[in-house]
Amino acid sequence: MSPGRLGKWLDGFGARHGVVRYDVAPLTATLAAEDGATAVVSVPFGPLVVLSRDGLVAHVLVERRVGVLLVRRGGYGAGVFAGGKLLDSKVGSRHVQGTTKAGGWSQQRYARRRDNQAREAFAAATEVAVRVLAPARLDVVVCGGDRRAIDTVLEDPRLKELAGLVRPPFLGVADPKQKVLEQAGVDALAIRITVDQPE
């Protein structure tokens, strides 16, 4: 759900399920309604400072400069978002050979080649992150793709500040083409709610 819809959704939850008790913590807000229904809202970019319903709504509506970094073995993308708009981005791809059924020396040779290609792809992703994200004065960074690939990119000393801004969620994405990156920017801001309703 988009941040702008949260207030109305909370009102609607109360209208559907009766009086709601809020238990608001720095990272989650739990709603318990009189009919037994519950909802848990994950606080995006926590911790939440004002522990109340209004504090939660105000927190999600704060406009942030969000960096998105997506890395997979064969592709990468980096984008800067503010107010839901993409301000700057770069996507790219590098060929990384798939696995092979060959055995013996051939298999080892292919494995070495794959590792070298993956290293080159991660190096290219690192340079894009340095160029697009590092100078962008970001409030938060959301990552996605392959966790090991992301960890490899963020190990670069030039991205030390960026690594300190990384927050959940970790996005599962397909190969990072431009449209995938744009959707990841929307997904990074989405409010995640788990609802449990009585039978």
Side-chain angles (χ1 to χ4, degrees):
M1 162 186 319
S2 65
R5 292 179 51 207
L6 179 62
K8 282 189 176 180
W9 188 90
L10 295 175
D11 291 341
F13 185 80
R16 289 187 302 276
H17 299 286
V19 176
V20 176
R21 183 172 51 81
Y22 283 81
D23 180 12
V24 184
L27 298 178
T28 57
T30 303
L31 289 65
E34 63 181 343
D35 71 351
T38 61
V40 178
V41 181
S42 297
V43 176
F45 314 137
L48 186 62
V49 177
V50 180
L51 303 180
S52 68
R53 177 200 186 279
D54 290 344
L56 172 65
V57 172
H59 175 84
V60 303
L61 291 177
V62 170
E63 188 171 303
R64 297 172 176 85
R65 285 176 71 87
V66 179
V68 174
L69 176 63
L70 308 176
V71 186
R72 296 181 66 85
R73 283 177 74 91
Y76 51 86
V80 177
F81 296 80
K85 292 185 171 59
L86 180 61
L87 305 181
D88 188 18
S89 68
K90 173 72 175 163
V91 296
S93 62
R94 289 290 176 100
H95 174 70
V96 178
Q97 187 169 333
T99 57
T100 178
K101 291 184 179 177
W105 290 108
S106 291
Q107 189 170 10
Q108 293 173 14
R109 189 173 72 247
Y110 285 130
R112 280 196 303 274
R113 184 182 299 163
R114 234 185 358 264
D115 288 345
N116 288 337
Q117 290 170 340
R119 267 195 296 276
E120 289 173 7
F122 297 162
T126 301
E127 293 306 318
V128 165
V130 167
R131 193 165 75 244
V132 174
L133 300 180
R137 298 193 311 276
L138 299 170
D139 297 309
V140 66
V141 175
V142 174
C143 300
D146 178 85
R147 287 182 188 274
R148 206 165 69 188
I150 287 288
D151 290 344
T152 300
V153 169
L154 292 178
E155 282 171 1
D156 190 287
R158 296 170 294 172
L159 298 176
K160 185 178 179 183
E161 276 189 38
L162 210 66
L165 297 175
V166 173
R167 298 289 183 274
F170 191 90
L171 304 172
V173 295
D175 283 340
K177 309 285 192 233
Q178 187 67 29
K179 283 192 174 178
V180 172
L181 177 64
E182 291 169 8
Q183 183 60 47
V186 173
D187 295 342
L189 296 175
I191 309 301
R192 285 155 177 81
I193 305 173
T194 304
V195 178
D196 186 14
Q197 302 191 54
E199 291 294 330

